[in-house]
Amino acid sequence: MSTPHPVPPPCTSKQGDPKPAVTGTTLLAPVTPRALLTDAQFNGVMHTVLDNNPGMEPEPAGRIVIGALAFLAVAARTPQGLVPSRVVDEGWHALILHTHLYQALCMGLGGFVHHVPERPDPGARSHGDVGRTVAAIEAAGYSVDADLWHGPEDSPITVAANCRHSGPEGPIVIIPKPKGRQ
């Protein structure tokens, strides 16, 4: 039986750079968001995106997962709520479905980031909310894939995700690590 999708290339960090993967409770700072997961973990999440989006090619699915990892890495350390684009939300949904991986990833990044969906309403999410999130991701030192960060009505990539998230006062809640836990 053949694999339905080719395996993406390994992490883009240089040889000798740490490749922190979710194996313990504390993660080292990654060189790239992709370095947060092992190849097997990344492929599992990417295949979830592919399964939820029939006809999508592996290349954009991998980019979506990387965008979701960057979003999550910053959201776990940001006290004010951040808002994913609809495309990045697809990758976030895929991460969440891998519950053990997601929990370990959040705790290693600084705090559990809850996903509380709201009914879709393109008029309720402004480009400013997405722009503020992009700025936070860039300020954290991550590159932003501009094709993934459009408003809900003008994205060049079509995904199945069909929920929205509020601005800074919204439903994304970060629960920090309990004291004494590393």
Side-chain angles (χ1 to χ4, degrees):
M1 185 168 150
S2 66
T3 304
H5 305 288
V7 176
C11 298
T12 58
S13 58
K14 299 179 300 229
Q15 188 172 13
D17 283 344
K19 286 175 69 175
V22 179
T23 55
T25 57
T26 304
L27 299 174
L28 301 172
V31 175
T32 69
R34 170 61 185 88
L36 289 168
L37 302 178
T38 66
D39 289 343
Q41 291 165 335
F42 183 86
N43 288 333
V45 176
M46 182 187 74
H47 282 278
T48 299
V49 171
L50 290 168
D51 290 345
N52 290 334
N53 295 277
M56 181 179 280
E57 293 294 322
E59 189 270 335
R63 289 171 43 213
I64 289 168
V65 174
I66 291 168
L69 288 165
F71 167 76
L72 185 63
V74 175
R77 294 185 176 121
T78 304
Q80 75 274 14
L82 296 177
V83 178
S85 69
R86 183 171 179 203
V87 175
V88 171
D89 197 37
E90 181 71 33
W92 189 22
H93 290 178
L95 281 166
I96 291 167
L97 290 174
H98 296 258
T99 58
H100 290 285
L101 172 68
Y102 184 74
Q103 180 183 23
L105 185 59
C106 285
M107 292 299 105
L109 291 169
F112 193 86
V113 181
H114 284 276
H115 178 279
V116 182
E118 298 174 349
R119 298 294 305 157
D121 179 5
R125 183 191 295 173
S126 75
H127 289 280
D129 292 337
V130 171
R132 186 174 44 79
T133 300
V134 167
I137 291 169
E138 288 174 333
Y142 294 113
S143 296
V144 171
D145 183 338
D147 285 344
L148 305 180
W149 289 97
H150 289 264
E153 64 282 341
D154 66 353
S155 179
I157 299 174
T158 303
V159 293
N162 197 26
C163 67
R164 72 172 195 89
H165 303 282
S166 303
E169 68 287 341
I172 296 172
V173 180
I174 293 115
I175 298 175
K177 287 191 243 181
K179 288 184 179 179
R181 284 199 130 172
Q182 297 296 351

